[in-house]
Amino acid sequence: MSSQLREREPLLAQAPRSRAHPAWLVPLALLASLARGLTLAARVQIVTRISCDALSRATYEPTSAKPPGIPTRCFKDPAVQSSAAEIQMLVCLLFLLGFQFR
């Protein structure tokens, strides 16, 4: 009888496993939101520059060696901000549709 008990025992001692807990998602959510927030300012500037150039609000000399920044009037112009919002909405929509039809 004792030989049967030994056969049923595991050969290797297993460490006690901790169970999954929803609190484990908190660090992952924090890291994801931090990464998204770090790239948000650059993304907004790119979209504002695209909409400013599309509406011909920016005038600069292409012969200068330094690439021009975004003029401050582009950030204050309602037409540029409206165009930038539309571009951002389209980018988000296309991104979501890309995940839907994989």
Side-chain angles (χ1 to χ4, degrees):
M1 204 69 156
S2 63
S3 64
Q4 289 178 348
L5 291 176
R6 287 187 195 154
E7 288 179 3
R8 292 184 181 173
E9 292 178 6
L11 294 176
L12 299 174
Q14 295 182 358
R17 300 176 87 187
S18 56
R19 298 182 56 149
H21 195 270
W24 291 0
L25 295 176
V26 172
L28 295 176
L30 286 174
L31 286 175
S33 62
L34 182 66
R36 179 83 174 164
L38 287 174
T39 61
L40 185 66
R43 204 171 322 141
V44 168
Q45 284 187 351
I46 289 170
V47 171
T48 303
R49 181 62 185 209
I50 290 170
S51 63
C52 190
D53 287 344
L55 295 174
S56 300
R57 303 273 197 251
T59 56
Y60 57 89
E61 295 291 326
T63 57
S64 65
K66 182 182 174 188
I70 300 174
T72 56
R73 66 177 172 238
C74 285
F75 287 111
K76 296 178 183 178
D77 190 4
V80 171
Q81 294 301 314
S82 173
S83 177
E86 287 179 14
I87 292 172
Q88 287 178 354
M89 186 263 313
L90 287 174
V91 167
C92 288
L93 184 65
L94 290 174
F95 186 71
L96 288 174
L97 287 176
F99 277 119
Q100 293 294 322
F101 297 112
R102 271 186 156 189

